[in-house]
């Protein structure tokens, strides 16, 4: 593929910095096992292998791969889909990791249902913007948490209510939710419990970088807990 656009994810930062240290067992102890950064991409198919049946040379596609910050990259056919004509390469390249993470957090881990009350903490980040739209499309009553300048944008994405965290603490509003998708991180378990109904789900997608040894490892992507104690943790197939 010839890469026309690629987006940058936190995983690229971690690989470049070699942080957290505990992850170096996988990334490389004294240096990265691979110097190829980038996961998301959008571009044009330049050539295809003999086993490729779905894509053709010249197709405009987007998806995920390895080392996508290069000019050209080899990507498995299964990792790509055709790019809609109305979507720019830049827009398409911003979709794969963020949108997939939001989808997994809501549908697969949170098991969102129509009519449920869903709170998204960090509603205007890469994952958060997709999460607001997806939760709304699933028929949930969506509350987004963001800063003052982003309130109008979060409403435009489909949030039914918006909490401006600079003016109000969402853990002390007295409102209860069936699902909390915590993208921003930084809130303690007791604080989160305040907003959860019995049998509600807390899905942790992100966390602050933390110290150089462990980073955000204590709250791995798409980890899930239930309201009255931890449920069995289910692994995530999300790349981030």
């Amino acid at each position: 593929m010839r890469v026309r656009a690629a987006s940058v994810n936190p995983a690229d930062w971690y690989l470049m910095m070699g942080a957290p240290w505990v992850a170096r067992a996988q990334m490389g102890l004294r240096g990265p096992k691979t110097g190829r950064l980038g996961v998301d991409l959008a571009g044009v198919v330049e050539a295809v292998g003999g086993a490729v049946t779905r894509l053709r040379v010249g197709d405009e596609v987007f998806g995920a791969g390895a080392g996508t910050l290069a000019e050209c990259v080899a990507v498995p056919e299964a990792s790509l889909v055709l790019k809609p004509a109305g979507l720019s390469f830049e827009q398409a390249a911003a979709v794969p990791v963020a949108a997939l993470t939001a989808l997994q957090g809501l549908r697969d881990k949170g098991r969102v249902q129509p009519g449920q009350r869903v709170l998204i903490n960090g509603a205007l980040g890469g994952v958060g913007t997709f999460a607001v739209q997806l939760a709304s499309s699933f028929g949930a009553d969506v509350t987004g948490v963001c800063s003052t300048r982003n309130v109008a944008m979060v409403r435009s994405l489909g949030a039914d209510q918006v909490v401006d965290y600079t003016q109000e603490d969402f853990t002390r509003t007295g409102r209860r939710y069936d699902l909390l998708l915590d993208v921003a991180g930084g809130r303690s378990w007791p604080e989160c419990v305040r907003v959860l109904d019995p049998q509600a789900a807390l899905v942790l997608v992100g966390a602050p970088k933390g110290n150089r040894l462990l980073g955000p490892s204590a709250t791995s992507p798409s980890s899930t807990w239930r309201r009255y104690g931890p449920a069995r943790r289910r692994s995530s197939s999300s790349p981030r």
Side-chain angles (χ1 to χ4, degrees):
M1 276 190 59
R2 181 163 298 278
V3 179
R4 293 287 300 274
S7 60
V8 179
N9 293 285
D12 300 311
W13 183 92
Y14 287 121
L15 179 61
M16 185 173 65
M17 299 299 294
W21 291 343
V22 71
R24 292 190 181 188
Q26 179 180 357
M27 295 188 299
L29 293 176
R30 308 184 75 176
K33 293 180 180 178
T34 175
R36 299 183 300 161
L37 295 174
V39 178
D40 291 339
L41 82 161
V44 179
V45 176
E46 289 273 304
V48 297
V52 174
T53 60
R54 185 169 48 85
L55 299 177
R56 298 177 297 177
V57 173
D59 282 347
E60 296 183 350
V61 296
F62 71 107
T68 62
L69 298 188
E71 293 181 3
C72 293
V73 64
V75 182
E77 182 185 31
S79 299
L80 300 171
V81 295
L82 291 172
K83 181 181 74 65
L87 207 63
S88 70
F89 286 106
E90 291 79 9
Q91 290 170 329
V95 171
V97 168
L100 179 60
T101 302
L103 180 63
Q104 288 181 329
L106 291 167
R107 184 193 64 189
D108 302 341
K109 304 300 180 179
R111 301 172 185 171
V112 64
Q113 299 295 321
Q116 285 188 328
R117 293 157 297 171
V118 175
L119 176 67
I120 299 170
N121 181 29
L124 206 75
V127 175
T129 53
F130 286 107
V132 171
Q133 297 173 80
L134 287 169
S136 180
S137 73
F138 288 140
D141 183 88
V142 183
T143 299
V145 181
C146 64
S147 63
T148 305
R149 65 177 182 175
N150 296 320
V151 168
M153 175 63 75
V154 173
R155 287 193 186 279
S156 73
L157 293 174
D160 299 286
Q161 297 87 32
V162 181
V163 176
D164 178 355
Y165 68 76
T166 68
Q167 304 294 323
E168 188 175 21
D169 183 348
F170 75 87
T171 69
R172 296 184 178 278
T173 62
R175 306 185 191 111
R176 298 273 184 166
Y177 301 91
D178 302 296
L179 170 61
L180 165 54
L181 185 75
D182 192 357
V183 185
R187 305 310 292 258
S188 68
W189 168 252
E191 288 176 315
C192 291
V193 165
R194 292 194 202 116
V195 304
L196 299 179
D197 270 341
Q199 304 307 313
L202 166 62
V203 181
L204 301 175
V205 175
K209 294 184 178 67
N211 59 52
R212 289 184 61 83
L213 176 62
L214 296 177
S217 299
T219 51
S220 58
S222 294
S223 297
T224 309
W225 282 266
R226 295 287 160 180
R227 167 64 172 85
Y228 290 123
R232 183 178 63 174
R233 291 181 66 164
R234 299 185 289 277
S235 62
S236 169
S237 61
S238 168
R240 297 292 168 263

